[in-house]
Amino acid sequence: MSAPAAASTVLTSSVRGRLVTGTEVAITARQHEFAIDEPQSLGGADKGANPIEHLLAARASCRPSPSTAPSSAT
């Protein structure tokens, strides 16, 4: 695990998407690649989590950093 970024660090993010089929999108984020697709019940091939699942996963992966977390009362 890497150390947290300093407060003055600027992070530039870039994500690219390419439509593969009617429902499947190939995503590239830095050197990482993954598929977004709908389940078969919604007309997809279920080759990856759907957009809402990715959105929820992104939200679930967020956590407050020590500098932004509320302090506890003593």
Side-chain angles (χ1 to χ4, degrees), residues 4 6 15 28 30 35 38 48 57 59 61-62 66 69-70:
V15 175
T28 303
R30 293 184 293 127
E38 294 291 353
R59 178 63 186 110
S61 70
C62 293

Side-chain angles (χ1 to χ4, degrees), residues 7-72:
S8 63
T9 300
V10 175
L11 174 64
T12 302
S13 297
S14 176
V15 175
R16 297 183 65 129
R18 179 179 54 85
L19 185 62
V20 177
T21 66
T23 60
E24 182 187 354
V25 178
I27 301 293
T28 303
R30 293 184 293 127
Q31 73 274 19
H32 307 287
E33 296 181 8
F34 56 95
I36 295 178
D37 198 3
E38 294 291 353
Q40 291 178 346
S41 63
L42 294 176
D46 205 17
K47 292 186 178 180
N50 71 27
I52 298 298
E53 292 165 331
H54 278 278
L55 177 65
L56 294 172
R59 178 63 186 110
S61 70
C62 293
R63 59 178 176 78
S65 67
S67 63
T68 60
S71 60
S72 60

